[in-house]
Amino acid sequence: VAELNDKIASLVKEKEEILAMKVSQLGLKPGESPIESEVDNNVEDSDIRFAKLAGIDKEYETYLCASKDFKEAGESKIALDVYYEIEKMKDESPLDFCVRQGWEEYIYQMLVVDFLILNRDRHGANIEVLRNSKKKEVRLAPLFDHGLSLLCRCHTAEEVSRADIMEDKPVQCFVGSRSTKNNLELIPKGKYPYLNQLKEEDKKYLFSGLDEIVSEEWKNKIWEMLWNRWRYYESFCNQR
């Protein structure tokens, strides 16, 4: 146990160093606030990842996404990529590792969901392993963190109207490839997840309560995206 704890600490430290490197590449030092006292007007918007604000003496209203704690009493969590490094067999891929752990159905469902919403951020820390040492049980947490999905890169109505809803944008996927379409190919024939069929009347349910938050342009485009990607998935299953 002590050896495993040491290895976990080492892997976590390594991840923190990688994160610090990524943050520094975005123009920030670890721990530095993205708010700056002055705005550099010579910097192109495409060159930065964080908004640079001139001051903080204003109040801003925004929306937060929250969920119930999915950890049960006595459970601890660990990122899948860290758990994989500890428990994997020689030359075992992340996908094969998950299948061996009995998480096959979960992973296949995840790959389909990520295709439908074009989730671009399914790295190894966005899949969590929940461990209960007393019960000696291990399970995967419900899917979470879908901030980089749907029309996440669209900031204006014009960008929304121009968005290619079927474009296969590059993604991060710890158990798969850089393509959500290609990741569907990882699901063996006969093991496609059974999902409730998407219907026209589902649109009202999906966007319930969002009238004052999301404009009609956004809602219509998101629905068009979900609908067409669902139809693609249905065709994919039938052709195989």
Side-chain angles (χ1 to χ4, degrees):
V1 173
E3 184 180 350
L4 287 176
N5 286 336
D6 290 341
K7 192 167 185 179
I8 290 174
S10 175
L11 289 169
V12 169
K13 181 180 179 182
E14 183 180 350
K15 286 186 64 178
E16 290 175 347
E17 292 174 350
I18 293 173
L19 178 60
M21 178 186 68
K22 289 182 177 180
V23 170
S24 66
Q25 290 173 346
L26 297 176
L28 296 175
K29 297 177 182 178
E32 181 182 6
S33 169
I35 300 175
E36 296 187 352
S37 57
E38 296 182 5
V39 176
D40 183 0
N41 294 322
N42 295 321
V43 179
E44 296 290 337
D45 289 343
S46 59
D47 293 335
I48 60 176
R49 290 285 301 276
F50 294 100
K52 298 190 176 184
L53 305 179
I56 57 174
D57 57 344
K58 294 179 64 176
E59 291 186 358
Y60 296 88
E61 289 188 359
T62 187
Y63 294 92
L64 298 177
C65 178
S67 66
K68 294 181 180 179
D69 188 352
F70 44 67
K71 288 193 301 178
E72 297 178 356
E75 284 187 330
S76 62
K77 64 180 183 178
I78 182 175
L80 176 60
D81 53 0
V82 176
Y83 187 72
Y84 163 75
E85 289 296 333
I86 297 171
E87 300 289 346
K88 70 178 180 180
M89 299 175 64
K90 184 178 179 181
D91 299 327
E92 187 175 36
S93 71
L95 179 58
D96 290 338
F97 172 78
C98 289
V99 172
R100 180 168 64 85
Q101 297 295 321
W103 301 330
E104 185 177 28
E105 182 178 2
Y106 176 106
I107 294 298
Y108 296 158
Q109 289 179 351
M110 181 192 75
L111 294 177
V112 174
V113 169
D114 284 349
F115 166 75
L116 293 175
I117 65 175
L118 187 56
N119 180 29
R120 296 171 231 182
D121 198 28
R122 190 67 71 191
H123 55 76
N126 272 349
I127 310 172
E128 284 191 343
V129 179
L130 303 178
R131 302 181 295 177
N132 191 314
S133 57
K134 290 185 178 180
K135 295 182 179 180
K136 296 183 179 180
E137 293 177 351
V138 179
R139 67 185 180 97
L140 291 181
L143 296 180
F144 63 92
D145 195 349
H146 301 92
L148 295 181
S149 302
L150 301 171
L151 304 177
C152 64
R153 297 301 188 192
C154 296
H155 304 290
T156 65
E158 182 180 358
E159 290 176 339
V160 170
S161 66
R162 295 200 314 262
D164 182 354
I165 56 175
M166 293 304 296
E167 182 180 357
D168 193 26
K169 295 180 181 293
V171 302
Q172 291 189 79
C173 182
F174 179 67
V175 301
S177 70
R178 300 275 290 171
S179 163
T180 58
K181 285 185 179 179
N182 290 345
N183 287 341
L184 294 178
E185 301 282 351
L186 298 175
I187 306 174
K189 186 176 180 179
K191 293 192 176 182
Y192 308 129
Y194 173 78
L195 304 175
N196 293 330
Q197 185 177 16
L198 191 64
K199 301 178 181 178
E200 289 282 359
E201 51 264 33
D202 292 329
K203 180 180 179 181
K204 183 178 180 180
Y205 171 79
L206 288 173
F207 296 106
S208 175
L210 296 178
D211 289 342
E212 297 181 4
I213 301 174
V214 183
S215 70
E216 285 299 315
E217 291 90 345
W218 257 266
K219 287 190 291 186
N220 290 336
K221 195 71 172 186
I222 290 172
W223 174 253
E224 181 186 355
M225 181 178 189
L226 293 173
W227 182 258
N228 282 274
R229 284 177 169 264
W230 171 259
R231 295 290 299 273
Y232 179 95
Y233 175 64
E234 282 189 322
S235 176
F236 169 82
C237 294
N238 293 332
Q239 289 178 3
R240 290 188 75 190

